[in-house]
Amino acid sequence: MQNNSNNRLLTPPMTIHISTPPLEVSPCEINSDPASSSSNPGFLSLRVPPSPTASSLDGETLRSRSSSFISTADTKRSRAYSDVSTVQYGYDGEELTAEEALRPDKIDEKDFEVEDNPFAFSPGQLNKLLNPKSLATYKALGGITGLERGLRTDAVVGLSADEESIKDRITFEEATLAGKRRKAVSEDHRTREANPAIRQGSRELYADRKRVYNDNRLPAKKSLSIWKLFWNAFNDRILLLLTAAAVMSLALGIYEAVGQKPVPGQPRSVDWVEGLAILVAVILVVLVTGLNDYQREKQFVILNAKKEDREVKVIRSGRTIQISVFDVMVGDVIHLEAGDLIPADGILVAAHSLRCDESSATGESDAMKKTTGEEVWRHLEQGTASSKLDPFIISGSKVLEGIGTCLVTSVGVNSSYGKIMVSLQTETEDTPLQIKLAKMANWIGYIGSAAAGLLFIILLIRFLLGLSGNPASSAMKGSQFLNILIVAITIIVVAVPEGLPVAVTLALSFATKRMLKENNLVRKLRACETMGNATTICSDKTGTLTRNRMTVVAGTLSPQIEFSSKAGSSEKAFSLLSKPTKNLFMQSIAINSTAFEGLEDEKNIFIGSKTETALLMLAKERLGMGTVAEERAVSEVVQLYPFDSDRKCMGVVTRLSTGNYRLLVKGAAEIMLANATKEIVDPTGESLEVASMSASTRNRMNLKITEYARQSLRTIALLYRDFQQWPPTGVQASKDDKQMANFEDACQDMTFLGVFGIQDPLRKEVPYAVKKCQDAGIVVRMVTGDNITTAIAIATQCGIKTPEGIAMEGPQFRQLSDTEMDEVLPNLQVLARSSPLDKQILVSRLKHLGETVAVTGDGTNDAPALKAADIGFSMGIAGTEVAKEASSIILMDDNFSSIVQAIMWGRSVNDAVAKFLQFQITVNITAVILAFVSAVASPSSHSVLSAVQLLWVNLIMDTFAALALATDAPTEKILDRAPSPKSAPLITTTMWKMILGQAVYQLAVTFTLYFGGAALLRYDVARDPTLQTQLDTMVFNTFVWMQIFNELNNRRLDNRLNVFEGVLRNRFFLAINAVMIAGQVLIVFVGGAAFQITRITGAQWAVCLLCAVPCLAWAVLLRCVPDRWAGRVFAAVGAVFFAVYAPLAAVVGVVCRPVRSAYGSVMRLFGRLAGRKSRGAGSVVDEETANAAAGSVVASLGELARGIPPITLTTMD
């Protein structure tokens, strides 16, 4: 059952409210109508009279806890078992007065002042409870009763569900006086007492509570404004340098056009247009980049909000409901269960064996045992309080074991966790893929910078050599020099692939948004990348492979009485049982359970563990069970043993009306049978006479358990044993609580009641999903707590278990040595009766073997395995908050098929990056070589691609292509290949084949048009210079159209030929290409002087397109070349390249080192001199900054000289 905020839960699990002995109160404070509490349908607490056998201490038993899960029943233990005699009384702050305990710290004074506060306490006063933990503050606030009174709430029935605003005020003195007097009023009176303070009619629920105490939200990390994003986009060194050069070019161009007279017969100079066009292009690049970043930020803010949201159980108006964690209010009473991540600060109201891990909040590594607020108050009154008493619940900590309720005292920014998180809000970390691609972009940028530097040197030398014979004016000569500089800088802009990290971010944001729609909530972005390369999945069974809709379909109630799924079979079997036996079964099912009743769509349902709800449904239908609350109301719970995944069972101890005690245990059938030594002689008789279990009965039960398991049924058995006292004589006390008995010692010589077979149908889509994983080269393993027979049966149905596969039980698996495990693991398909430790060991060994491991988990104890795995999947429905916190991805529907969707999207992210990389490097190679060669070959040192044209190409590469190639949704065909190993190169042989092959074609076409176009098209450029401009326009137009067609080629990374597959489904791709095509057409028609082009004729357009379209056919030919042949060619070329590169790099490194050192020395000297001159004015030059700035060019060459790293990618940490 999925969590639903509209679910209303009728009663908290196992809540038994015990009345405290009445103290002195005024008559007006006592409810005059004792029956009124029973008339309240929402009030389900139990008032139990004092035990006649209770030995009291000052009117109460040693373990009396009002509103507690632990009853006031006397355990008849001697004081030797108690800690009372060994307690060192006294606690920190005991000597403080109430005023001193609540004195505000200077930094928090504002939290103590609240205007028009209708409550008794300010947020600052409540914060003093936990800053640090302070019993003195707790005492000053009047204990749990004072907090109830001052916060206008009730520890039993919670806040009023329809509270809006508070019409009157309660003073601090009134609240704390109520705590000191410990009013023993009835719960109904307390509820009615609070209600008059509630004023309805305002627009918002809990308006005053939110105003005074805030809600449970942390302020979102302040995101950058769109103007800041624009500034960040512009604040790039290369763009700044280009802008400066463009401004200078614009200034000189304006001077030429305005300040100088034109040559007679010649029009005025329009060189200023290029400078202006470059500035416009820079502005366009900045705008597109900034808007792109802004949209990405918005998407991640939405995802983060969804990631932090979860549902918690609170009591309001006496009923337990599920609400968003953001809606928890001060004064709420929240339920705590093992595995919960505590959402707010509070004081413990009622609990049973509650222990919390507070290491994340306090640094305390030990599990902290919690004491109820009422018990702590009693010790405070008696003067026996010590620092060991801990009623404080800290937000952000985790419940390790036990159950309980707590009264919320601080939420949101006022809570302990909130204060820490606000102070630790940091920027989102880059993923491993983003980091690696950023490094690759730097290296490609170094190579491009080296090419631009070489071009600048060549053109500068040519310019200087021709300077003496240059008849142009000084302004014109300056403009010529700036043109050289601008072309060199623009080549750097084009060469630096800043779009690589952007492509990853776009792919991740797109994928995570779409994955959420497919029930995968990504908590850690790196999991998106990693999931695509998963090689094995270790999956739970219940709820993931099965539907988690359990029904009891078979059972054996005695050697003679059993039932099956046949109609009427179970009804007949239970009708044979005597009333005492039926009551015993009903107690074992209803009392020994943490499930409870609720309303969903106005229908009564059971909520909790699906195993327990199946048994409760059986008890309701066949044993005549009323409501769970009624059954539990007549039982007095003395001790509770929560379910433990290691011992595979749970238990509860109740006190019988005879004064004896009964231990009820429920758990895995074969384990329960091993602990049973007795059986009921005659379950149809009126007396529960027991005798030693016969060998025939044991064998029959073993056969039944095996038979049920072979039918894929989960087997659950019930045991019980009666004791005369509790803890029993001779049973060791629990290490954690001397008043409690150790379970392992108590659960001996038990009486066997019966065994049930529970069916959990397989999800119909699972076999297909498992088959798709196996086709994708992913090994699926089942890791379950069920017995091995059931596990094998389910695994076989799923297609996980094959005839040659190995199935093993956890205890056997963990006994293997590392060598033996490594031999078994390749064929291990089923691990049954496994503990969380077994799962963690399995994950660790698989990773040791080089596997990329995904694992699912739902329990608190699964957290280590979820963290150890490369990708941890927690269950959104059945998972605990601790498991979700440890996981990378949350399966919102607990469905295995959603894991397959995550694999597809993970591969899609990696593919998107590879597609963009393949496209970008092709353009980089072609654009840089074309600009370099044409500029060197041109007598006027002009590149065929002007600066503005190159900026347009850069916009296509870095933004438009990233958007287009990162938004291809995956299809199931993406699973038709094996996962990439961790050592796989980022650029594969197939990609290199396409990159270099397309670069060769594009260079061949553009060089042919540039150098031979005039001859081929019979243009007399000497007579008509406009023809040369038309030819240059054709080169530019052809080059851009080749990129547009090549973008289609890059939609595939394999050697398959259909590059149009699914293109109509990707609206982003179509829209972005439409923008690029429209932009290019517009530029050619109206670009004019800004782009240094002219309009071309229809025939010239045809030539451009006919030269560009063959890119598609050329890609087909390239894909037909076997990769192994291409690999051999690349290996040979690479060997030659590095043979030449290595000595050159060494020479450059030797040359650059002293040059850089000399630069550093000069700048340090300059810094000292400048510092001395400006010391009087208080100005000091930062030497390190000066050195870094002066040697940046040399540093780049030095970095390049140190050697290019291998172009490989590992998408794992």
Side-chain angles (χ1 to χ4, degrees), residues 385-408:
S386 72
S387 296
K388 291 183 178 181
L389 296 174
D390 186 0
F392 305 107
I393 303 298
I394 301 180
S395 56
S397 58
K398 303 165 187 174
V399 180
L400 296 179
E401 61 181 69
I403 53 178
T405 58
C406 82
L407 176 64
V408 175

Side-chain angles (χ1 to χ4, degrees), residues 769-938:
V770 170
K771 180 68 166 55
K772 292 302 295 182
C773 286
Q774 293 168 343
D775 291 343
I778 302 170
V779 178
V780 182
R781 295 176 169 88
M782 178 194 288
V783 184
T784 179
D786 279 342
N787 69 51
I788 194 165
T789 307
T790 304
I792 290 174
I794 292 288
T796 303
Q797 292 179 40
C798 294
I800 294 174
K801 179 70 172 67
T802 59
E804 63 275 7
I806 296 174
M808 186 178 290
E809 289 189 329
Q812 177 188 0
F813 174 75
R814 73 178 76 109
Q815 295 301 322
L816 298 177
S817 65
D818 289 347
T819 304
E820 291 171 331
M821 278 189 189
D822 294 345
E823 292 175 356
V824 168
L825 283 178
N827 295 317
L828 181 66
Q829 294 173 342
V830 178
L831 188 62
R833 280 289 172 243
S834 65
S835 67
L837 177 61
D838 298 327
K839 186 182 289 187
Q840 186 179 0
I841 293 171
L842 174 64
V843 170
S844 300
R845 292 312 302 174
L846 286 170
K847 289 183 68 177
H848 175 75
L849 294 176
E851 302 279 359
T852 302
V853 186
V855 66
T856 67
D858 56 8
T860 303
N861 292 340
D862 287 328
L866 290 169
K867 274 191 171 293
D870 295 303
I871 315 101
F873 285 91
S874 62
M875 304 295 109
I877 299 173
T880 63
E881 294 306 323
V882 173
K884 293 175 185 177
E885 190 72 14
S887 66
S888 307
I889 299 175
I890 299 175
L891 294 179
M892 305 300 287
D893 59 352
D894 293 9
N895 194 336
F896 183 85
S897 62
S898 295
I899 299 178
V900 179
Q901 293 295 323
I903 296 171
M904 291 170 60
W905 278 106
R907 293 190 175 189
S908 177
V909 168
N910 292 329
D911 284 359
V913 174
K915 291 173 186 176
F916 179 73
L917 184 61
Q918 180 173 290
F919 175 79
Q920 174 126 49
I921 292 181
T922 303
V923 185
N924 277 15
I925 293 173
T926 311
V928 171
I929 293 177
L930 179 60
F932 186 98
V933 173
S934 62
V936 171
S938 170

